Amino acid sequence: MADKQLMERAEQALYKVYNRFPVVFDHGEGVKLYDTEGNEYLDFGAGIAVMALGYGDEEYTKAVEEQLHKLTHISNLFYNQPSIEAGEKLLQVSHMDKVFFTNSGTEAIEGALKIAKRYHYNKLHETMGDGCDGCEDAEPDMTGEIIAMNHSFHGRSLGALSVTGNAHYQEPFKPLIPGIRFADFNDLDSVKKLINSKTCAVIMETIQGEGGIYPATEEFIKGVRALCDEHDLLLILDEIQCGMGRSGEMFAWQHYGVKPDVMTVAKALGNGLPIGAFLAWGKAASAMVPGDHGTTYGGNPLVTAGASAVLDIFEKRRITEHVKEIGAYLYEKLEELSKELDCIRAHRGMGLIQGLEFSVPAGPIVSKALLEQKLVLISAGTNIIRFVPPLVIEKADVDEMMKRLRAAAAE
């Protein structure tokens, strides 16, 4: 078997930090994937919420290909047109003031944390004044503390891991960044109790993804926004997975009528190309100065040409309206299933980011769906299956997914 030989080669060559399924994918078309032996799979994972437009979209591919023949990299010592155009379009749909392009969501989180710390640093220096007496004694207070959420996930780098509320991920890499305190998601009192004079920001996902597909309640997110305004803190919303139309709005926070000071995006922004971004407005947009941050590859012409095409396609094809329609249909069908099967304990989510919580481990169901039903699903934690398909799926795809999921979950 060609697949088996390739997997054996991978185990020899690649670092063993992933527990991969025994499938080698070769290409995709629309919302279907094909392995090296020609088997067809229905994809409801989208590369972990990345492939918003599915596979092989002609308009997107043409835009990337044209840029590939022109210029792939020039460094941030110079300007390039694709990054300017992508930046303008992203600011327009987000109503932010400034954007910084990164290579990944994790790097976007790193930049957001630096904005928060720089803002706190600037604020205290303005309060004390340059060269003031006693500044040396106040130095420990210059390190701003950040409130993050339990059961959150923000990435694997040391900075992003420091604000990830999962001890299992953190334990082998301690000590992490100091001054991180954890509150409970959707528990406003737990946030209030942690705020002190050193606090500089609150960071959270608008919809917790890896933690189990938990949307923020309206009371909670509006309450956190009010606390940040009251105490002059920055609100950082992580939209890396739930943003870019997946919730039915361009960004999930738009459902609530709030606006973060800083936002992170990635995943669907590049439809497969490695790109992320952090964006800020108002007081947060002017916190950092030249020399505070940088990246070699971030915002290069190739990936920003892809992001620019994605943003154009979203507007032209009214992707968010499509997500609202198909997301409601998916919700209805998953609700029906949750009432049919006793092993399903809960159903959560919105748009095309939804989850089913099982009373049994989800891994065997995900594996059975993949290997026997040719259905690509991904889990979130131990007993939750998350549904984050390409945003271009149709009702017929939902029906076919449900048929295969029922078969996989029957046992």
Side-chain angles (χ1 to χ4, degrees):
M1 291 174 61
D3 279 5
K4 185 176 181 181
Q5 293 173 352
L6 285 168
M7 287 184 280
E8 289 174 351
R9 287 166 58 187
E11 292 302 309
Q12 291 296 318
L14 304 179
Y15 215 108
K16 184 67 175 178
V17 292
Y18 300 108
N19 290 315
R20 292 183 169 93
F21 291 99
V23 176
V24 183
F25 285 120
D26 179 72
H27 66 281
E29 295 176 11
V31 298
K32 305 290 180 60
L33 284 167
Y34 299 84
D35 65 22
T36 53
E37 297 185 334
N39 296 306
E40 180 186 276
Y41 299 74
L42 178 60
D43 182 20
F44 262 65
I48 314 182
V50 168
M51 303 303 294
L53 303 177
Y55 303 91
D57 183 272
E58 290 186 8
E59 186 176 352
Y60 168 81
T61 301
K62 181 181 179 183
V64 174
E65 185 177 17
E66 286 178 355
Q67 186 60 44
L68 185 63
H69 291 293
K70 292 172 65 177
L71 189 67
T72 60
H73 180 73
I74 194 61
S75 96
N76 287 304
L77 297 175
F78 310 95
Y79 299 98
N80 73 80
Q81 187 172 340
S83 68
I84 297 168
E85 293 177 348
E88 290 174 339
K89 293 170 186 177
L90 193 53
L91 292 177
Q92 183 177 9
V93 296
S94 65
H95 306 291
M96 294 286 177
D97 291 337
K98 296 292 182 182
V99 58
F100 184 100
F101 287 114
T102 65
N103 305 288
S104 66
T106 295
E107 291 174 56
I109 292 293
E110 295 288 338
L113 297 179
K114 287 181 73 174
I115 287 179
K117 286 183 171 291
R118 187 54 145 117
Y119 178 75
H120 183 74
Y121 178 90
N122 293 348
K123 184 170 64 174
L124 290 184
H125 266 289
E126 289 171 6
T127 301
M128 294 186 296
D130 292 334
C132 67
D133 294 334
C135 286
E136 294 81 2
D137 296 335
E139 191 63 29
D141 291 340
M142 300 301 289
T143 303
E145 293 184 351
I146 295 171
I147 298 173
M149 300 296 146
N150 287 315
H151 306 297
S152 60
F153 183 85
H154 297 288
R156 302 282 191 167
S157 64
L158 288 178
L161 197 59
S162 298
V163 292
T164 290
N166 189 317
H168 173 72
Y169 292 141
Q170 292 183 333
E171 193 60 39
F173 306 105
K174 290 182 177 179
L176 298 172
I177 293 176
I180 310 297
R181 312 180 80 190
F182 288 93
D184 293 324
F185 193 62
N186 284 334
D187 182 347
L188 190 59
D189 286 338
S190 72
V191 179
K192 288 180 182 178
K193 291 175 182 177
L194 297 180
I195 295 175
N196 59 45
S197 62
K198 297 181 183 180
T199 308
C200 66
V202 178
I203 182 172
M204 65 185 194
E205 299 152 277
T206 317
I207 302 174
Q208 285 195 336
E210 188 76 20
I213 316 298
Y214 286 95
T217 64
E218 185 171 351
E219 178 187 11
F220 180 69
I221 196 169
K222 286 185 174 180
V224 172
R225 175 70 274 178
L227 285 174
C228 289
D229 291 339
E230 179 185 349
H231 297 278
D232 194 15
L233 314 177
L234 298 187
L235 173 60
I236 304 170
L237 291 183
D238 180 342
E239 293 259 342
I240 290 166
Q241 183 169 172
C242 63
M244 290 300 296
R246 184 154 293 281
S247 69
E249 296 288 350
M250 196 64 183
F251 303 104
W253 52 263
Q254 292 170 333
H255 288 280
Y256 301 93
V258 300
K259 185 177 179 181
D261 300 294
V262 185
M263 174 180 69
T264 60
V265 297
K267 290 191 181 289
L269 177 60
N271 195 53
L273 289 175
I275 184 172
F278 59 87
L279 302 93
W281 76 284
K283 59 190 179 184
S286 58
M288 292 207 289
V289 300
D292 276 352
H293 200 55
T295 174
T296 296
Y297 298 107
N300 76 58
L302 182 63
V303 297
T304 50
S308 185
V310 167
L311 290 162
D312 285 342
I313 292 168
F314 266 54
E315 181 179 9
K316 188 184 306 181
R317 301 183 196 170
R318 299 181 177 180
I319 294 294
T320 55
E321 293 179 23
H322 180 75
V323 170
K324 287 175 183 175
E325 178 187 354
I326 303 301
Y329 187 72
L330 174 63
Y331 198 94
E332 176 188 330
K333 295 303 177 182
L334 291 178
E335 276 290 290
E336 291 175 4
L337 185 65
S338 67
K339 293 172 183 176
E340 289 175 21
L341 300 181
D342 292 337
C343 62
I344 297 177
R345 293 197 300 207
H347 171 213
R348 297 183 291 271
M350 61 176 70
L352 291 178
I353 175 168
Q354 298 186 39
L356 287 179
E357 181 178 343
F358 290 78
S359 59
V360 295
I365 302 173
V366 171
S367 181
K368 191 176 183 68
L370 177 72
L371 301 178
E372 296 185 13
Q373 300 300 320
K374 301 298 184 283
L375 171 64
V376 178
L377 297 169
I378 55 176
S379 59
T382 303
N383 61 337
I384 296 165
I385 294 177
R386 59 180 140 171
F387 301 84
V388 285
L391 304 185
V392 294
I393 61 166
E394 300 291 349
K395 290 182 179 179
D397 299 313
V398 174
D399 291 339
E400 182 61 27
M401 183 278 294
M402 294 301 301
K403 176 183 174 183
R404 300 185 192 190
L405 176 59
R406 277 189 171 91
E411 297 179 14

